[in-house]
Amino acid sequence: MIWIAGMFAGIAGCYALWQYWELKKFGVTCYEVPTGKLKEEHQFVVLADLHGFTYGKDNVRLISEIRDLKPQFILIAGDLIVSKYPDSYARALNTLKQLAALAPVYYAFGNHESRAAKRRVYVSHEFRKYLQEAEKLGICFLRNENRKVRIGEDDLYFAGLELSLDYYLRTDVPMNDRCIPGLLGKAAEGFQLLLAHNPAYSERYAAWGADLTFCGHNHGGLIRLPGIGSVISPQLTLFPKYNDGCHEIGGKRVIISRGLGTHTFHIRIFNRAELVSVKLLPNVLEKQGGNE
């Protein structure tokens, strides 16, 4: 029996060591998105669910990777912090400072930012300071706002959706047709980007009219299996439908990031953290077809 106990202890030790190193790694997932609504190519990156994580001192590895990708702008799809840990705000702010030096940054709230704003006085005060310092860096927060941004010869529209925390408490809270238009108005006729943290409502985002939506929240699941995908989400939902990757819904695209950090459940099994890189490609055939 002693050798059996030793064997299990060895397996547990190997697993713990593997997870320790796995949580220190991230990959880059690249997408190319054709569209007939743009004249030029546009390159950008998307961060989600960093949760105050750092990859090397002062996030040197993450920042270096983003610098090498040469983004024209940077999108944050929520949860750069952990709401109840103000020390994560300082790490996130340091990351924002370095990101702002690379390209314009557009930041939508996730449930952790929304929750931090509503926590007890000390935490909400620290969070307000975090927002103020970030705005001094030039960070553009999109809180139920749709902003027109001119980049080169193109007008792009960046929307950030901040849902009520009720939509995060359970995964089966229904969303009616009026919810998103009530918060953001109508989608733009030009190329519409949407940052919407919770992927459970991906079909609603496409129906609203977002050409390309970015979500996070589920961290790709805690455990993924080859050929199956996510087994369980951090919310303990089994086999969640929208958990990672690119989904085409009604001619629109929703890209769901596996995220860059973790909280509460520090587990990533066959589910490496990821930085999302996107290239928007002007689709000549689609443009010509639309002019006939």
Side-chain angles (χ1 to χ4, degrees):
M1 295 298 292
I2 294 177
W3 71 268
I4 294 177
M7 180 181 68
F8 279 109
I11 292 172
C14 289
Y15 167 76
L17 186 61
W18 172 56
Q19 277 295 285
Y20 174 79
W21 286 112
E22 192 66 16
L23 291 172
K24 292 180 176 292
K25 300 176 182 177
F26 70 94
V28 180
T29 304
C30 300
Y31 296 96
E32 293 187 344
V33 178
T35 175
K37 294 184 176 182
L38 299 174
K39 299 175 184 178
E40 300 179 340
E41 288 187 6
H42 298 286
Q43 174 77 37
F44 61 99
V45 297
V46 184
L47 290 75
D49 300 286
L50 186 61
H51 289 300
F53 259 52
T54 56
Y55 291 93
K57 184 180 179 181
D58 294 328
N59 245 330
V60 62
R61 289 193 287 122
L62 177 62
I63 298 301
S64 176
E65 189 68 59
I66 294 173
R67 182 184 296 109
D68 289 346
L69 289 168
K70 297 180 172 62
Q72 293 172 286
F73 55 92
I74 298 167
L75 303 180
I76 297 176
D79 282 8
L80 211 61
I81 62 168
V82 178
S83 63
K84 62 183 178 180
Y85 298 137
D87 61 321
S88 72
Y89 307 174
R91 293 192 296 273
L93 188 64
N94 183 50
T95 299
L96 286 173
K97 181 178 181 180
Q98 297 179 80
L99 293 175
L102 300 179
V105 179
Y106 299 87
Y107 184 157
F109 277 21
N111 55 303
H112 277 261
E113 283 88 2
S114 295
R115 192 177 294 123
K118 298 179 183 299
R119 280 192 175 272
R120 65 185 184 272
V121 174
Y122 169 71
V123 173
S124 61
H125 173 70
E126 290 298 307
F127 183 67
R128 284 194 297 273
K129 286 171 53 180
Y130 167 72
L131 296 182
Q132 290 166 0
E133 292 302 315
E135 287 175 341
K136 290 178 184 177
L137 296 171
I139 307 303
C140 177
F141 288 99
L142 298 170
R143 300 186 67 179
N144 291 328
E145 178 185 356
N146 195 7
R147 180 171 294 208
K148 179 180 176 180
V149 179
R150 184 74 174 178
I151 302 177
E153 295 186 29
D154 291 314
D155 290 328
L156 289 84
Y157 294 83
F158 297 165
L161 179 66
E162 184 180 2
L163 291 173
S164 163
L165 288 171
D166 293 341
Y167 288 101
Y168 292 96
L169 295 176
R170 301 201 335 260
T171 58
D172 58 349
V173 177
M175 179 184 288
N176 63 43
D177 295 338
R178 299 183 302 277
C179 178
I180 300 177
L183 296 171
L184 290 173
K186 292 183 179 180
E189 293 185 4
F191 192 80
Q192 179 71 70
L193 287 158
L194 174 63
L195 299 172
H197 188 66
N198 191 344
Y201 302 99
S202 292
E203 293 168 21
R204 290 293 185 185
Y205 308 147
W208 175 67
D211 296 292
L212 182 57
T213 300
F214 297 100
C215 306
H217 189 52
N218 283 346
H219 301 184
L222 300 175
I223 302 170
R224 300 183 62 80
L225 295 178
I228 295 176
S230 176
V231 176
I232 186 169
S233 76
Q235 296 77 40
L236 305 183
T237 301
L238 293 174
F239 305 105
K241 182 178 181 180
Y242 295 112
N243 215 48
D244 84 321
C246 183
H247 302 260
E248 187 165 339
I249 305 171
K252 310 295 185 181
R253 289 179 175 83
V254 178
I255 293 176
I256 304 168
S257 170
R258 295 195 301 272
L260 283 159
T262 60
H263 71 93
T264 308
F265 300 108
H266 300 290
I267 300 172
R268 283 192 178 273
I269 298 178
F270 305 121
N271 176 37
R272 183 161 292 177
E274 72 173 346
L275 171 69
V276 172
S277 173
V278 181
K279 182 179 289 187
L280 300 178
L281 302 174
N283 188 323
V284 176
L285 292 178
E286 185 177 334
K287 288 193 291 187
Q288 290 177 344
N291 291 332
E292 293 179 353

